[in-house]
Amino acid sequence: MKTDNARAQMRKGALELCVLRVVKRGEAYASDISKALKAADLLVVEGTLYPLLARLKNAGWLAYRWEESSSGPPRKYYKLTDNGSQLLDSLNGEWDQFVNAVNSLKNPT
Amino acid sequence: MKPTIDINLGGMLFHLDDDAYKALQSYLKALDKHLQTVDGRQEILSDIESRIAELLTERLASTRQVVSMLDVDAVKETLGSPSEFGPGPVDEPSQGYSEPHDPSARSKRPYRRLYRDDQDRVVGGVASGIAAFFNWDPLVLRVLFLLLLFTGGGVLLYIILWVLMPKAVTTAERLAMRGEPVTVETIRNKVETEFDKVKNSMDDMDVKGRFSRGARRTSSVLGRILRACARIVIGFVSVALLVTAIAIGTVALNFLIGDGSVISESGKLSELSEVIMPAGYSMTYLWIMTILVLSGPIIFIVLLNLRAFFGMRYNRPSSRMLGGFGMLATLIGLLMAMVSGIKVATEFNVDASHLQTVNMPESVKTWELSVADIMLKDPDFSLHIGTNEDGAKLHTKSEGGNFNLDITPGRVRINGKHLDEDYWDESNWDESFRGWWYLKDDRAFFNNVEVDVRPARQGQASLTVRRYANGRSRRDASYRANSINYDLTVSDSGEIVLNSMLDFPTSDRQRGQSVEVVLYLPVGHSVNFDASLEDYLYDVDNVVNMYDDEMLGRTWIMMPEGLTEVKAY
């Protein structure tokens, strides 16, 4: 149970970065993003994604366009804005630093 | 056989059985509650609804048409329960998330609210929204609006409703549109959410924000143009309101706390309030009350303007706080007004009067009735200003002379009172200077004097003066009536000169003090009404039913059938 909680916290912290990375690969709609994240075992329930996407969009890091769908309502396809790309670059750097820092504690010095 | 319920999710129609409907509804409600404090809540909800629609479409095989409990459970599993996804307040998952088999689920239908039905609309969905609220056929309302169109007001009414009524966007809102009818018990609940909803409907007016999103759903170009026009009109109206509010506020404060800089032929309003407010209520009370009452509307109008021109959001914490503060201030102000108002009202509870009879010369048969303006006789007020024949030079004339005059071009001040240019013209001086009340030396002067002429019962003319006043009790009223001072003179030759005003101690307050003067004339006696009786004669009976003001300047004789005009030949 305790590891479960720790894992959930870790996922939560990295989710924003993961979403930005998925969108960086190409335009995606919410379900694409959640599939990619679920495949990587980074997401448990899809609902988490929607408030996050709205927040990233309102912050100006993501933009979207509407596209009609043959199997349901119109979909929002998200892509990175220029600001979003810059943010992702700096977050990528920070993530590497973070991983290194965490890993550095693993081995006795 | 099971009945199904039709719902609309992200623009798609689904048939749900009863269990599935309840489950989905409580799920959406729980989501809505969970996201309450999150920015862009409606957008998130409609995204999630679109996704639910997609998931349900995937699950429904071509042969199956009805969404069941299993489908809803699967959707919930995919999307997760509200407590599983943030951000949002940490909420215990059970709250607001009623399980479908809860026996009280029926009563948890949302309370019915007024929304525009965007998906069943001809122009803006106003008619269908109202119809949904009252369970009517929208066609009836559409015909009604069409008929109103010819009167002109219909268009305006429709546009106002269009702007004020929020559009039902999320399914939770669409359910609420046909939700539980409003009953007495639900009112309290409604009031709590009303403030938020009003602000939401104002959000609807945002030009930049929701409009772009709404436009996607709106195919009617006409509708968009009308809505844009409505916004412009509202913009203008709100600016006009702001200007008016500032003007009214300025004037009100100037009257209340001004030191006489405002032109006043009568007393200042601040003095009037001093003579009306109950004992113990100071001017400061009135002053604070006025500011408090005005602050709410002014803050609201200012916010409206900020909104219209700078796209500022109402739901920003700062404006929300300001709005709340304004509302509270207005409420407190109104409460203060109520407290003092009730106090004043109790002092009008009962009335009392005192009757006096004035001695009259016995030999006189023709009477001259006139009014002497005591304000003009007062040295503090008595003066004449006019232009000289040889130019624009002013001269003054005074009987008492107890005033100082300060004349600078375009501005005349008498005892600190500012007079406007109308007063420069001597011809209308007397007329316009006749005030209806003023305060002097702790006495209040009012022109509440009524004059009537009635047939006398005996062969002798008589004059009565009845002084009226109101009070908390009969004793109180009687005391007040007795402290009224009112003078008139009757000369031996039959000239009756009435004072234009009665007066009483300011500490008595204005509590309906008035004086009724009645001249009783036996048959054969005549009376001439001087023009100065204008506004003093009150409903004098005469054989030709002439109006009081027309009776002035004429001579009347009392005949057995009533007052008859004596025509001059």
Side-chain angles (χ1 to χ4, degrees):
Chain A
M1 268 323 258
K2 272 180 183 164
T3 54
D4 269 2
N5 188 31
R7 203 170 62 181
Q9 293 294 328
M10 279 191 247
R11 275 181 183 150
K12 210 170 155 189
L15 195 58
E16 213 158 295
L17 174 62
C18 297
V19 168
L20 290 172
R21 280 183 177 179
V22 172
V23 176
K24 169 112 181 154
R25 302 200 295 221
E27 276 192 317
Y29 90 106
S31 186
D32 293 338
I33 301 170
S34 85
K35 266 181 211 144
L37 292 175
K38 274 183 175 167
D41 198 21
L42 285 163
L43 187 71
V44 180
V45 292
E46 214 179 293
T48 319
L49 208 52
Y50 293 93
L52 182 64
L53 283 172
R55 202 173 67 227
L56 292 173
K57 186 213 72 178
N58 289 336
W61 295 326
L62 292 183
Y64 67 82
R65 62 178 176 83
W66 288 99
E67 193 169 286
E68 292 296 332
S69 154
S70 56
S71 65
R75 296 167 171 180
K76 281 177 175 174
Y77 275 84
Y78 290 92
K79 64 171 187 213
L80 280 180
T81 62
D82 292 346
N83 279 343
S85 293
Q86 284 172 18
L87 177 80
L88 180 56
D89 287 344
S90 70
L91 278 183
N92 276 334
E94 292 204 8
W95 176 255
D96 291 342
Q97 275 183 15
F98 178 72
V99 171
N100 285 338
V102 174
N103 283 342
S104 72
L105 297 176
K106 202 158 59 179
N107 305 316
T109 41
Chain B
M1 197 182 76
K2 272 177 156 182
T4 62
I5 297 157
D6 289 349
I7 64 158
N8 177 324
L9 271 178
M12 300 183 71
L13 182 69
F14 292 95
H15 311 289
L16 274 72
D17 70 28
D18 199 42
D19 287 345
Y21 170 80
K22 283 179 195 159
L24 187 61
Q25 190 190 343
S26 66
Y27 180 62
L28 287 170
K29 235 180 110 176
L31 282 182
D32 191 26
K33 190 173 156 65
H34 180 74
L35 295 170
Q36 232 164 21
T37 56
V38 179
D39 273 349
R41 168 178 130 250
Q42 283 199 328
E43 185 179 5
I44 296 169
L45 282 176
S46 83
D47 285 351
I48 291 176
E49 278 174 18
S50 291
R51 180 62 182 148
I52 294 175
E54 206 170 50
L55 288 169
L56 289 177
T57 315
E58 282 168 14
R59 284 188 60 88
L60 289 176
S62 56
T63 49
R64 199 159 64 91
Q65 291 185 337
V66 176
V67 176
S68 72
M69 194 61 209
L70 281 174
D71 299 317
V72 175
D73 281 344
V75 165
K76 278 159 63 177
E77 200 175 322
T78 311
L79 288 171
S81 76
S83 57
E84 281 177 275
F85 59 97
V90 186
D91 230 346
E92 52 268 53
S94 64
Q95 203 183 1
Y97 186 72
S98 61
E99 283 303 315
H101 298 294
D102 183 347
S104 65
R106 252 267 163 259
S107 68
K108 286 192 178 167
R109 278 177 72 192
Y111 301 124
R112 188 173 294 181
R113 294 194 45 84
L114 191 58
Y115 285 104
R116 283 185 294 119
D117 190 350
D118 205 35
Q119 277 146 13
D120 175 20
R121 66 192 174 84
V122 173
V123 185
V126 171
S128 50
I130 295 173
F133 189 84
F134 291 109
N135 256 341
W136 292 343
D137 189 339
L139 186 66
V140 178
L141 279 160
R142 281 180 189 135
V143 170
L144 213 65
F145 272 121
L146 207 63
L147 290 176
L148 280 173
L149 201 70
F150 295 107
T151 69
V155 184
L156 195 67
L157 180 70
Y158 191 94
I159 290 174
I160 289 172
L161 288 173
W162 196 351
V163 173
L164 289 182
M165 282 165 66
K167 183 168 65 182
V169 178
T170 66
T171 299
E173 284 167 354
R174 296 193 59 77
L175 290 172
M177 190 170 71
R178 298 176 186 279
E180 196 121 297
V182 178
T183 61
V184 180
E185 307 93 78
T186 65
I187 300 272
R188 193 187 67 85
N189 241 317
K190 272 175 74 70
V191 168
E192 283 169 8
T193 53
E194 207 57 37
F195 195 53
D196 270 350
K197 289 293 178 186
V198 168
K199 280 189 295 194
N200 282 347
S201 74
M202 291 303 172
D203 282 349
D204 243 7
M205 288 159 48
D206 187 8
V207 181
K208 291 180 297 194
R210 295 235 330 250
F211 188 57
S212 54
R213 203 165 68 89
R216 189 186 59 84
R217 294 165 182 258
T218 310
S219 52
S220 157
V221 178
L222 175 74
R224 282 158 64 184
I225 293 171
L226 279 177
R227 265 176 89 78
C229 289
R231 273 184 210 107
I232 293 166
V233 171
I234 285 173
F236 276 119
V237 169
S238 68
V239 172
L241 276 176
L242 182 66
V243 172
T244 316
I246 290 171
I248 291 175
T250 312
V251 171
L253 288 181
N254 201 336
F255 268 135
L256 282 172
I257 61 175
D259 58 345
S261 65
V262 172
I263 310 149
S264 170
E265 43 196 270
S266 300
K268 292 190 293 289
L269 207 67
S270 58
E271 292 177 334
L272 185 64
S273 44
E274 193 182 312
V275 99
I276 284 176
M277 290 297 278
Y281 287 77
S282 63
M283 276 301 296
T284 322
Y285 184 91
L286 202 68
W287 191 72
I288 291 172
M289 186 186 92
T290 312
I291 290 176
L292 285 178
V293 170
L294 287 176
S295 58
I298 286 179
I299 287 174
F300 175 75
I301 290 165
V302 167
L303 285 180
L304 198 72
N305 276 273
L306 288 177
R307 169 94 211 169
F309 292 101
F310 305 106
M312 208 180 96
R313 299 202 154 269
Y314 277 123
N315 49 15
R316 276 172 27 160
S318 57
S319 36
R320 198 188 284 232
M321 222 170 75
L322 199 65
F325 171 78
M327 226 163 77
L328 192 72
T330 299
L331 279 177
I332 293 173
L334 288 176
L335 204 71
M336 286 172 76
M338 226 161 74
V339 168
S340 52
I342 287 170
K343 186 85 173 18
V344 171
T346 60
E347 293 182 1
F348 275 92
N349 200 17
V350 287
D351 60 57
S353 67
H354 291 278
L355 185 69
Q356 281 171 310
T357 307
V358 181
N359 288 329
M360 302 278 273
E362 285 178 21
S363 54
V364 179
K365 283 194 147 192
T366 56
W367 306 91
E368 280 286 331
L369 204 54
S370 66
V371 168
D373 196 318
I374 63 164
M375 226 167 143
L376 276 181
K377 274 202 283 183
D378 191 310
D380 272 355
F381 294 92
S382 143
L383 76 166
H384 276 86
I385 300 178
T387 43
N388 252 346
E389 307 87 280
D390 52 90
K393 213 172 170 188
L394 288 154
H395 68 269
T396 64
K397 190 171 72 188
S398 159
E399 280 131 41
N402 180 22
F403 63 89
N404 76 73
L405 191 62
D406 160 25
I407 304 167
T408 44
R411 217 169 76 117
V412 182
R413 289 173 77 85
I414 299 153
N415 286 345
K417 277 181 202 274
H418 183 91
L419 303 179
D420 85 6
E421 288 183 356
D422 286 351
Y423 293 97
W424 291 47
D425 185 358
E426 192 175 10
S427 63
N428 65 18
W429 171 259
D430 284 355
E431 186 59 36
S432 46
F433 199 66
R434 179 184 266 185
W436 54 278
W437 69 278
Y438 69 100
L439 299 186
K440 196 193 165 193
D441 299 338
D442 289 332
R443 290 193 80 81
F445 294 76
F446 278 82
N447 72 340
N448 298 345
V449 178
E450 283 176 13
V451 180
D452 197 3
V453 177
R454 295 174 195 162
R457 294 220 182 88
Q458 67 274 46
Q460 177 65 38
S462 65
L463 191 67
T464 61
V465 175
R466 192 182 279 277
R467 296 172 296 164
Y468 290 93
N470 292 63
R472 225 183 350 260
S473 61
R474 193 156 300 280
R475 241 183 82 182
D476 191 31
S478 172
Y479 176 82
R480 209 171 259 132
N482 203 34
S483 67
I484 296 173
N485 173 48
Y486 184 71
D487 288 329
L488 55 85
T489 57
V490 181
S491 76
D492 289 341
S493 56
E495 287 160 357
I496 306 168
V497 182
L498 308 172
N499 270 6
S500 62
M501 289 180 167
L502 57 95
D503 63 278
F504 53 85
T506 311
S507 58
D508 271 10
R509 307 301 188 200
Q510 162 53 272
R511 295 294 177 260
Q513 283 93 336
S514 64
V515 163
E516 186 192 44
V517 179
V518 182
L519 175 63
Y520 291 93
L521 289 183
V523 171
H525 284 221
S526 66
V527 60
N528 179 61
F529 296 122
D530 187 76
S532 59
L533 278 164
E534 187 178 359
D535 299 334
Y536 285 87
L537 282 191
Y538 184 77
D539 207 10
V540 179
D541 287 334
N542 59 76
V543 291
V544 287
N545 282 325
M546 194 182 272
Y547 288 117
D548 296 326
D549 282 353
E550 291 174 42
M551 295 176 76
L552 302 176
R554 301 172 197 254
T555 305
W556 300 78
I557 185 160
M558 185 60 78
M559 301 295 276
E561 60 270 25
L563 269 186
T564 313
E565 189 183 353
V566 180
K567 298 244 166 59
Y569 293 103

